[in-house]
Amino acid sequence: MQNPFKGGFKIDFYTNQSKIKWFILVVALIIGSGSIIYTDQLVDRLKEGEEEKIELWAKAIEFSGSVLADESSLTFITNNIITPSNTLPVILVDSASQEILLSRNVVDSLSSTSQREIQLETTLEKMKRENKPFTIMVRNANDGSISDIQYVYYRNSYILRQLRAYPFIQLSVIAIFAFIAYLAFSYSRTAEQNRVWVGMAKETAHQLGTPLSSLMAWMEYIRAMPEMKEKEEVIIELDKDIERLERITSRFSNIGSVPVLKNEPVYEVVNNCLNYLRPRLSSKVIMNVETDMHDLKAKINKPLFEWVIENIVKNGVDAMSGIGNINVTIGLESSNEVFVDISDDGKGIPKGKVKNVFKPGFTTKKRGWGLGLALAKRIIENYHQGKIFVKSSHADVGTTFRIVLIYKDI
Ligand SMILES: Nc1ncnc2c1ncn2[C@@H]1O[C@H](COP(=O)(O)OP(=O)(O)OP(=O)(O)O)[C@@H](O)[C@H]1O
Ligand SMILES: [Mg+2]
């Protein structure tokens, strides 16, 4: 039956999906950097305002110490500029002795003298790192000559510092939340997919079961008919078809329930499967199994595992357009794992497509459903707790799929 999703659509779905992912990522980056840049501009403007305040404060101190200041302007400056408590932390330091002359909004009034000293020192260090100080020229009251130079060190207000960190905190919180939401959605999507797979398989097995048992009963009836004695070949062919139907039913019924895994000899299972497939495929396809370990056993559910081998071999045959070799190698992957490598000498999978081949619906074939490898992955990973992946694939050289199964010694 032809796939209803018409040619290119199936691949486009995955190309589009990755385009959508990129689009979301780019939009998220634009929003993120936009909000960082905007807050940065706000912070810069606030910072300018704060610096102007500090400069004014420094100038006021400079002026109040100069000869030009008369009594009334001094009072005005002290009351309106120097004393009013704004929240900016400031420390006035003598340039020569490096002694702290004055500080504002740095130490809290409740701490002890020694604590205050430590607070002052550490804050001064921070201030030195953060901003360049304003310089104050202290002039001699008599002749106006410079008698001392002092520095005004300052920090930006607490609010401004917080505002600078705000977009980063906000974006991190959003990113964490989005990640958790993504995990939750993908978990529920997987659970939903599982239910659909299992439900469909159960239903199919159930629907096939009834006509199959009826067919078997009819077979016994036909076998017993005297006129069928000369038509042995009809009985043989009918038997083969019934066996094929039984195979399909048992696959669906196994995938629709918790499968029973048994210690099966891997070589024998694979070899039997290839023997079953050989007459059904082109005679120009040569299939071989190689191993030094014929008795190696692994935990296998036979009907399901055979289904996997069949899907991979059929893909291999499709890739070589009917003529070529399929080689299966069996060996030990690790102390408790067996590998089964299935290689073909077909056209290979393009590099960019390798990550898609196990996704349901991905196909490059006109009459493909894109379900063969999705099913294989499901069977190996969910039902056998094993692994399946493309071990290698090169254009016009061929492809090797590796299946890793849990091995159990006899
Ligand atoms: N051995 C291989 N060599 C080259 N390409 C392969 C091979 N195996 C799989 N592919 C690629 O992966 C795609 C998906 O394979 P899959 O078996 O899942 O679906 P399908 O064979 O297209 O359809 P069906 O559902 O009938 O199996 C194929 O269409 C093909 O492009
Ligand atoms: Mg296939």
Side-chain angles (χ1 to χ4, degrees):
M1 198 197 301
Q2 186 151 9
N3 191 320
F5 301 124
K6 285 270 163 36
F9 172 82
K10 296 162 276 173
I11 315 165
D12 280 348
F13 172 70
Y14 286 108
T15 334
N16 282 344
Q17 207 185 29
S18 79
K19 270 189 200 153
I20 290 169
K21 273 187 198 157
W22 279 109
F23 177 74
I24 291 176
L25 193 73
V26 169
V27 171
L29 281 178
I30 292 174
I31 293 174
S33 45
S35 98
I36 289 172
I37 292 170
Y38 180 66
T39 348
D40 234 39
Q41 282 175 353
L42 277 185
V43 167
D44 279 349
R45 250 178 272 161
L46 277 174
K47 197 169 147 69
E48 269 171 34
E50 289 189 352
E51 279 173 3
E52 274 167 17
K53 267 189 198 166
I54 303 283
E55 198 178 3
L56 181 65
W57 190 77
K59 282 204 175 125
I61 289 197
E62 191 180 81
F63 186 70
S64 66
S66 85
V67 282
L68 303 166
D70 57 37
E71 197 63 37
S72 62
S73 51
L74 250 184
T75 321
F76 176 80
I77 287 167
T78 316
N79 291 345
N80 292 288
I81 303 174
I82 304 181
T83 325
S85 56
N86 60 40
T87 53
L88 298 174
V90 185
I91 297 179
L92 187 65
V93 177
D94 186 88
S95 71
S97 64
Q98 286 296 311
E99 191 188 328
I100 294 175
L101 305 171
L102 180 72
S103 76
R104 271 180 31 178
N105 306 317
V106 177
V107 287
D108 68 65
S109 50
L110 295 174
S111 39
S112 66
T113 323
S114 60
Q115 276 174 330
R116 282 182 194 197
E117 263 172 34
I118 295 169
Q119 262 179 341
L120 270 177
E121 283 303 326
T122 49
T123 316
L124 185 61
E125 282 312 308
K126 279 185 198 153
M127 287 174 167
K128 282 183 180 171
R129 262 181 273 132
E130 285 170 15
N131 295 309
K132 257 174 74 178
F134 288 102
T135 312
I136 292 178
M137 309 288 182
V138 182
R139 288 176 197 275
N140 205 313
N142 300 323
D143 55 8
S145 61
I146 298 169
S147 62
D148 193 11
I149 294 175
Q150 293 168 359
Y151 293 129
V152 177
Y153 288 98
Y154 65 97
R155 287 193 88 184
N156 293 111
S157 62
Y158 180 62
I159 293 177
L160 192 134
R161 276 178 276 145
Q162 274 199 325
L163 191 62
R164 203 184 276 285
Y166 176 71
F168 293 99
I169 296 168
Q170 189 193 33
L171 291 175
S172 322
V173 170
I174 292 174
I176 292 169
F177 178 73
F179 181 65
I180 292 171
Y182 172 78
L183 284 187
F185 278 120
S186 79
Y187 175 78
S188 80
R189 204 183 53 179
T190 315
E192 191 179 307
Q193 279 177 359
N194 283 346
R195 279 200 299 275
V196 174
W197 275 100
V198 169
M200 283 292 289
K202 260 188 189 160
E203 181 61 17
T204 312
H206 179 71
Q207 299 233 1
L208 280 172
T210 326
L212 188 62
S213 21
S214 159
L215 265 179
M216 280 155 121
W218 279 113
M219 267 306 286
E220 290 314 310
Y221 178 76
I222 294 170
R223 222 190 292 273
M225 284 162 69
E227 57 268 46
M228 290 309 283
K229 285 275 181 301
E230 300 100 60
K231 293 179 180 145
E232 192 99 4
E233 71 282 1
V234 176
I235 304 277
I236 292 173
E237 287 309 310
L238 275 175
D239 267 339
K240 273 191 199 164
D241 280 338
I242 288 187
E243 192 210 315
R244 212 172 297 168
L245 271 176
E246 273 180 325
R247 213 174 239 268
I248 296 169
T249 313
S250 109
R251 285 174 181 178
F252 279 109
S253 104
N254 269 289
I255 209 163
S257 55
V258 181
V260 182
L261 302 182
K262 284 193 194 146
N263 275 331
E264 306 271 6
V266 186
Y267 172 78
E268 204 182 301
V269 173
V270 174
N271 206 27
N272 287 346
C273 187
L274 295 190
N275 288 341
Y276 170 80
L277 287 173
R278 217 166 264 124
R280 290 171 174 80
L281 298 170
S282 154
S283 58
K284 288 172 188 152
V285 178
I286 316 258
M287 293 197 279
N288 256 320
V289 200
E290 278 169 35
T291 184
D292 301 330
M293 308 165 104
H294 288 83
D295 300 326
L296 211 56
K297 288 190 173 183
K299 291 190 169 179
I300 288 177
N301 177 288
K302 225 157 115 185
L304 291 184
F305 185 68
E306 283 172 351
W307 204 356
V308 173
I309 301 287
E310 198 176 306
N311 280 336
I312 297 177
V313 168
K314 277 186 178 165
N315 279 347
V317 174
D318 288 343
M320 61 180 71
S321 41
I323 307 170
N325 295 290
I326 302 269
N327 283 315
V328 183
T329 323
I330 299 165
L332 270 186
E333 167 89 351
S334 69
S335 60
N336 65 336
E337 287 170 323
V338 174
F339 74 79
V340 180
D341 282 355
I342 303 157
S343 310
D344 63 67
D345 50 9
K347 61 174 192 272
I349 309 169
K351 260 212 167 69
K353 301 272 187 294
V354 170
K355 64 178 193 306
N356 287 339
V357 293
F358 291 104
K359 291 180 180 168
F362 176 81
T363 181
T364 52
K365 297 171 196 170
K366 219 171 163 194
R367 283 169 182 276
W369 289 98
L371 284 182
L373 288 178
L375 187 73
K377 188 177 168 70
R378 208 178 173 75
I379 291 174
I380 296 298
E381 290 183 353
N382 293 16
Y383 293 75
H384 287 81
Q385 275 71 51
K387 283 174 260 176
I388 180 169
F389 52 92
V390 177
K391 193 182 161 219
S392 64
S393 188
H394 301 285
D396 298 324
V397 177
T399 307
T400 302
F401 278 89
R402 173 164 282 197
I403 301 170
V404 178
L405 294 168
I406 296 176
Y407 154 73
K408 184 133 188 282
D409 221 325
I410 320 154

